[in-house]
Amino acid sequence: SGTHAVAPAQCAGQDGPRKEILTPGGALFSTAIRSGGMIYLSGVIGRSQSGDAAEATRAALQGVQSRLEAIGHSMADAIKCTVYLIDMGDYQAMNQVYTEFFPQDPPARTAVAVRELPANAQVEVTCIAAAR
C-alpha cells in the first residue's frame, strides 16, 4: 500500500541510459544519438567556395537545423553548441549568422579556433539538444 521509490538503474535499464541511434551516418559515426533525455549530434561542417565565413556558418547551422528537424526537434531544443573555426578572425561573422538561428534564449556555447577541419571546411558545429 502506498508508493515506493524506483532505483535509477531500474528506470534506465541495468546498465544506465541506453544509446539509441536516431540517424545513422555511416561506418564511422552516427549523425544523431539519443541517450537518456539528451540528443547528441555529430559535427556539421560548413564551407564557402569564396571563403566567406558567414556563408560557411550558415551552411553548418542549416545542417544542424535539418538534422534536428528530421528527428522531430528544432533549434530551440539545443542546449549546448560548440563552434570550431579555422580562423578566429571569423568570430564576428560567425556570431552574426549564429544569432539568426538562435534569436532568443540561445544555448550555452563554446567557440574555438582549430588548425583545420575535414573537407576544407571553415566552420564545424556540434550540438547537444534536449529530447522531447
Side-chain angles (χ1 to χ4, degrees), residues 64-65 68-79 102 129-130 132:
V64 168
Q65 185 173 39
L68 285 169
E69 289 173 353
I71 57 172
H73 288 73
S74 72
M75 296 297 263
D77 297 314
I79 58 173
F102 301 106
R132 293 187 198 160

Side-chain angles (χ1 to χ4, degrees), residues 19-86:
K19 175 173 85 172
E20 177 187 356
I21 308 283
L22 299 174
T23 312
L28 298 176
F29 62 90
S30 299
T31 57
I33 291 178
R34 178 181 11 239
S35 182
M38 309 299 282
I39 294 172
Y40 301 87
L41 297 181
S42 293
V44 180
I45 60 171
R47 57 182 174 251
S48 163
Q49 294 297 344
S50 66
D52 182 80
E55 182 181 332
T57 301
R58 187 168 285 106
L61 288 169
Q62 285 171 337
V64 168
Q65 185 173 39
S66 293
R67 287 181 182 182
L68 285 169
E69 289 173 353
I71 57 172
H73 288 73
S74 72
M75 296 297 263
D77 297 314
I79 58 173
K80 172 70 167 89
C81 292
T82 303
V83 179
Y84 302 91
L85 301 165
I86 59 166

Side-chain angles (χ1 to χ4, degrees), residues 44-47 51-58 60-61 82-98 109-118 120-126:
V44 180
I45 60 171
R47 57 182 174 251
D52 182 80
E55 182 181 332
T57 301
R58 187 168 285 106
L61 288 169
T82 303
V83 179
Y84 302 91
L85 301 165
I86 59 166
D87 182 350
M88 198 50 82
D90 295 335
Y91 186 74
Q92 290 305 321
M94 177 275 295
N95 275 334
Q96 285 186 306
V97 173
Y98 189 89
R109 188 186 80 186
T110 301
V112 296
V114 296
R115 197 170 73 148
E116 64 182 309
L117 292 166
N120 294 319
Q122 291 129 296
V123 178
E124 183 169 6
V125 179
T126 65

